[in-house]
Amino acid sequence: MSRSLEEGPMKMRLRLRLLALTLTVPAVIGLVILGPGSGIGVSAGAGSNRPPQAAFSYTPAGPTINDLVTFDGSGSFDPDGRITLYEWDFDGDGDYDSTTGAAVIQWLYDEPGSYTVSLRVTDNGGATASTTGEVIVSPAPVAVRQRLFTPLAPNKALPGDWIRVEVEISVRKTINGLGLAAEPPQGWRVREVDNGGATFKRGGGQYQWLWVRGLLSGDRLRIVYEVRVAESAPPGLYKIGGQVSSFSPRFKIPIPKEVEVRVP
Ligand SMILES: [Ca+2]
Ligand SMILES: [Ca+2]
């Protein structure tokens, strides 16, 4: 059967995002997996060719969704020749997602979960060896929830009214340099109410909260601020957006803005 006919949309998406890059060996190495410990996939080639050994590492060690994960198969070797082919199955479905002559490759997971990754190497004599490892992909490093409290329920406010905004951030891993940016509609003022341990900065129409201290998994942050509907705001639906970002790990997560404010 043709492999391409069996591919679902999710896998096609992953395949499209695949970047085959040759990289220097990263400073931080994740799990090192040596094969053929599981006893699979070793086959002798013709004559006296000795089979290769498969091994790979990956980084970062604890990836989250949409992190580029670098897989490095350069720990594989052949005692009497060289490796000519690296075949990777990144999601454990038995289909190789990448076949390449380069040892290093990057892959992106857009769903959290535990993935079995297999590497099969082939030497210049045609003998193969395989090894497998587990990659656990975590959900986004923070969960963000925003609620609006308008003077005229539900979600209705008049020009000049103050709207209260509460943002809750649940931290799921160690984070340094977390920031929250509020993005109110043009010309709407922001005033701080509860900065949740962060430093509040404003300037040039930007409103930001920055946490100097490192944050740990399980921390919950609550920021409260108020936004004043511009006196000149024409009737319509308005969104109060923003984003949560971090230096380490580096990410940007937009705040969900399902709730719109209606100015009659
Ligand atoms: Ca060999
Ligand atoms: Ca696969």
PDB file of all heavy atoms in Angstrom, residues 49-52 78-82 123-125 127, ligand 1:
ATOM      1  N   ASN A  49      30.279  -8.403   6.467  1.00  0.00           N
ATOM      2  CA  ASN A  49      29.925  -7.071   6.972  1.00  0.00           C
ATOM      3  C   ASN A  49      29.370  -7.169   8.387  1.00  0.00           C
ATOM      4  O   ASN A  49      28.450  -7.943   8.650  1.00  0.00           O
ATOM      5  CB  ASN A  49      28.877  -6.431   6.049  1.00  0.00           C
ATOM      6  CG  ASN A  49      28.482  -5.042   6.522  1.00  0.00           C
ATOM      7  OD1 ASN A  49      29.244  -4.366   7.215  1.00  0.00           O
ATOM      8  ND2 ASN A  49      27.272  -4.632   6.144  1.00  0.00           N
ATOM      9  N   ARG A  50      29.902  -6.355   9.300  1.00  0.00           N
ATOM     10  CA  ARG A  50      29.378  -6.340  10.664  1.00  0.00           C
ATOM     11  C   ARG A  50      28.286  -5.281  10.766  1.00  0.00           C
ATOM     12  O   ARG A  50      28.406  -4.201  10.166  1.00  0.00           O
ATOM     13  CB  ARG A  50      30.522  -6.065  11.651  1.00  0.00           C
ATOM     14  CG  ARG A  50      31.536  -7.222  11.692  1.00  0.00           C
ATOM     15  CD  ARG A  50      32.787  -6.830  12.454  1.00  0.00           C
ATOM     16  NE  ARG A  50      32.480  -6.536  13.854  1.00  0.00           N
ATOM     17  CZ  ARG A  50      33.336  -5.887  14.667  1.00  0.00           C
ATOM     18  NH1 ARG A  50      34.487  -5.472  14.208  1.00  0.00           N
ATOM     19  NH2 ARG A  50      33.006  -5.674  15.916  1.00  0.00           N
ATOM     20  N   PRO A  51      27.232  -5.578  11.503  1.00  0.00           N
ATOM     21  CA  PRO A  51      26.094  -4.630  11.539  1.00  0.00           C
ATOM     22  C   PRO A  51      26.447  -3.361  12.308  1.00  0.00           C
ATOM     23  O   PRO A  51      27.309  -3.368  13.181  1.00  0.00           O
ATOM     24  CB  PRO A  51      25.006  -5.426  12.262  1.00  0.00           C
ATOM     25  CG  PRO A  51      25.737  -6.428  13.079  1.00  0.00           C
ATOM     26  CD  PRO A  51      26.977  -6.783  12.314  1.00  0.00           C
ATOM     27  N   PRO A  52      25.753  -2.268  11.988  1.00  0.00           N
ATOM     28  CA  PRO A  52      25.967  -1.016  12.713  1.00  0.00           C
ATOM     29  C   PRO A  52      25.253  -1.039  14.070  1.00  0.00           C
ATOM     30  O   PRO A  52      24.535  -1.996  14.382  1.00  0.00           O
ATOM     31  CB  PRO A  52      25.341   0.022  11.785  1.00  0.00           C
ATOM     32  CG  PRO A  52      24.239  -0.721  11.103  1.00  0.00           C
ATOM     33  CD  PRO A  52      24.707  -2.147  10.961  1.00  0.00           C
ATOM     34  N   ASP A  78      29.246   2.351  12.803  1.00  0.00           N
ATOM     35  CA  ASP A  78      29.434   1.056  12.155  1.00  0.00           C
ATOM     36  C   ASP A  78      30.878   0.612  12.393  1.00  0.00           C
ATOM     37  O   ASP A  78      31.803   1.368  12.088  1.00  0.00           O
ATOM     38  CB  ASP A  78      29.153   1.188  10.651  1.00  0.00           C
ATOM     39  CG  ASP A  78      29.245  -0.156   9.957  1.00  0.00           C
ATOM     40  OD1 ASP A  78      28.849  -1.160  10.582  1.00  0.00           O
ATOM     41  OD2 ASP A  78      29.725  -0.195   8.813  1.00  0.00           O
ATOM     42  N   PRO A  79      31.085  -0.556  12.979  1.00  0.00           N
ATOM     43  CA  PRO A  79      32.452  -0.955  13.352  1.00  0.00           C
ATOM     44  C   PRO A  79      33.372  -1.176  12.157  1.00  0.00           C
ATOM     45  O   PRO A  79      34.587  -1.076  12.298  1.00  0.00           O
ATOM     46  CB  PRO A  79      32.250  -2.256  14.140  1.00  0.00           C
ATOM     47  CG  PRO A  79      30.918  -2.762  13.733  1.00  0.00           C
ATOM     48  CD  PRO A  79      30.088  -1.560  13.400  1.00  0.00           C
ATOM     49  N   ASP A  80      32.799  -1.476  11.006  1.00  0.00           N
ATOM     50  CA  ASP A  80      33.698  -1.762   9.869  1.00  0.00           C
ATOM     51  C   ASP A  80      33.314  -0.968   8.624  1.00  0.00           C
ATOM     52  O   ASP A  80      33.598  -1.379   7.505  1.00  0.00           O
ATOM     53  CB  ASP A  80      33.700  -3.271   9.573  1.00  0.00           C
ATOM     54  CG  ASP A  80      32.321  -3.766   9.178  1.00  0.00           C
ATOM     55  OD1 ASP A  80      31.358  -2.962   9.284  1.00  0.00           O
ATOM     56  OD2 ASP A  80      32.181  -4.934   8.796  1.00  0.00           O
ATOM     57  N   GLY A  81      32.661   0.142   8.842  1.00  0.00           N
ATOM     58  CA  GLY A  81      32.258   0.951   7.689  1.00  0.00           C
ATOM     59  C   GLY A  81      31.652   2.252   8.178  1.00  0.00           C
ATOM     60  O   GLY A  81      32.133   2.831   9.146  1.00  0.00           O
ATOM     61  N   ARG A  82      30.597   2.680   7.480  1.00  0.00           N
ATOM     62  CA  ARG A  82      29.976   3.942   7.890  1.00  0.00           C
ATOM     63  C   ARG A  82      28.463   3.853   7.723  1.00  0.00           C
ATOM     64  O   ARG A  82      27.957   3.014   6.969  1.00  0.00           O
ATOM     65  CB  ARG A  82      30.553   5.102   7.079  1.00  0.00           C
ATOM     66  CG  ARG A  82      30.340   4.949   5.602  1.00  0.00           C
ATOM     67  CD  ARG A  82      31.230   5.873   4.764  1.00  0.00           C
ATOM     68  NE  ARG A  82      31.221   5.422   3.370  1.00  0.00           N
ATOM     69  CZ  ARG A  82      30.213   5.667   2.522  1.00  0.00           C
ATOM     70  NH1 ARG A  82      29.186   6.387   2.900  1.00  0.00           N
ATOM     71  NH2 ARG A  82      30.261   5.200   1.297  1.00  0.00           N
ATOM     72  N   ASP A 123      24.122   0.669   7.202  1.00  0.00           N
ATOM     73  CA  ASP A 123      25.537   0.917   6.902  1.00  0.00           C
ATOM     74  C   ASP A 123      25.813   0.740   5.408  1.00  0.00           C
ATOM     75  O   ASP A 123      24.924   0.395   4.625  1.00  0.00           O
ATOM     76  CB  ASP A 123      26.450   0.042   7.775  1.00  0.00           C
ATOM     77  CG  ASP A 123      26.417  -1.435   7.365  1.00  0.00           C
ATOM     78  OD1 ASP A 123      25.805  -1.776   6.326  1.00  0.00           O
ATOM     79  OD2 ASP A 123      27.002  -2.260   8.087  1.00  0.00           O
ATOM     80  N   ASN A 124      27.056   0.989   5.027  1.00  0.00           N
ATOM     81  CA  ASN A 124      27.410   0.960   3.603  1.00  0.00           C
ATOM     82  C   ASN A 124      27.393  -0.438   3.017  1.00  0.00           C
ATOM     83  O   ASN A 124      27.467  -0.607   1.805  1.00  0.00           O
ATOM     84  CB  ASN A 124      28.786   1.610   3.400  1.00  0.00           C
ATOM     85  CG  ASN A 124      29.867   0.926   4.224  1.00  0.00           C
ATOM     86  OD1 ASN A 124      29.643   0.630   5.402  1.00  0.00           O
ATOM     87  ND2 ASN A 124      31.010   0.656   3.633  1.00  0.00           N
ATOM     88  N   GLY A 125      27.233  -1.455   3.894  1.00  0.00           N
ATOM     89  CA  GLY A 125      27.097  -2.816   3.390  1.00  0.00           C
ATOM     90  C   GLY A 125      25.645  -3.277   3.352  1.00  0.00           C
ATOM     91  O   GLY A 125      25.371  -4.434   3.028  1.00  0.00           O
ATOM     92  N   ALA A 127      23.552  -3.487   5.990  1.00  0.00           N
ATOM     93  CA  ALA A 127      23.044  -4.015   7.261  1.00  0.00           C
ATOM     94  C   ALA A 127      22.374  -2.897   8.048  1.00  0.00           C
ATOM     95  O   ALA A 127      22.732  -1.725   7.918  1.00  0.00           O
ATOM     96  CB  ALA A 127      24.186  -4.618   8.072  1.00  0.00           C
TER      97      ALA A 127
HETATM   98 CA    CA B   1      29.147  -2.624   8.660  1.00  0.00          CA
END
